[in-house]
Amino acid sequence: MTAQALSMTDSAARKVRQLRESEGNPDLMLRVYVTGGGCSGFSYGFNFAESVNEDDAEFENGDVKMVVDSLSYQYLVGSTVDYLEGLEGSRFVVQNPNATTTCGCGSSFSV
């Protein structure tokens, strides 16, 4: 797995850094994954991990790590993970070049 198959924007890295500091846990990493469901077939998920699993790919932006499991990786190759703050609220989003359709909420897609 190539080191830059996925990328994390500076905005996303900043948010992870802030959350790490507020939790007092410098080991927290952003985990990005894909699950079945959602209005377009697949949904993006985000949570925080303290350890890397054997099948995880790791990506970095400065001192912030993002991990993706091998099953989700195939759907996310070439994607960029960003953090947006706007009228719809604050959230992590995936800009995925592999998605053929997306839903209005931006958290569901199909390939």
Side-chain angles (χ1 to χ4, degrees), residues 43-63:
S43 294
Y44 301 113
F46 304 93
N47 62 27
F48 291 93
E50 293 184 71
S51 61
V52 178
N53 297 331
E54 190 176 302
D55 71 333
D56 284 342
E58 299 177 53
F59 307 94
E60 296 181 8
N61 179 323
D63 63 336

Side-chain angles (χ1 to χ4, degrees), residues 4-6 13 28 42 45 55 63 80 94 109:
Q4 289 306 315
L6 273 78
L28 286 182
F42 293 102
D55 71 333
D63 63 336
T80 300
V94 176
F109 71 102

Side-chain angles (χ1 to χ4, degrees), residues 46-105:
F46 304 93
N47 62 27
F48 291 93
E50 293 184 71
S51 61
V52 178
N53 297 331
E54 190 176 302
D55 71 333
D56 284 342
E58 299 177 53
F59 307 94
E60 296 181 8
N61 179 323
D63 63 336
V64 175
K65 275 191 184 178
M66 174 173 64
V67 292
V68 179
D69 66 86
S70 60
L71 187 60
S72 298
Y73 179 86
Q74 62 187 323
Y75 298 107
L76 295 170
V77 171
S79 296
T80 300
V81 175
D82 197 3
Y83 184 77
L84 300 178
E85 296 182 27
L87 296 174
E88 305 87 27
S90 302
R91 63 194 173 163
F92 287 101
V93 296
V94 176
Q95 297 160 351
N96 187 342
N98 305 306
T100 55
T101 59
T102 58
C103 67
C105 67

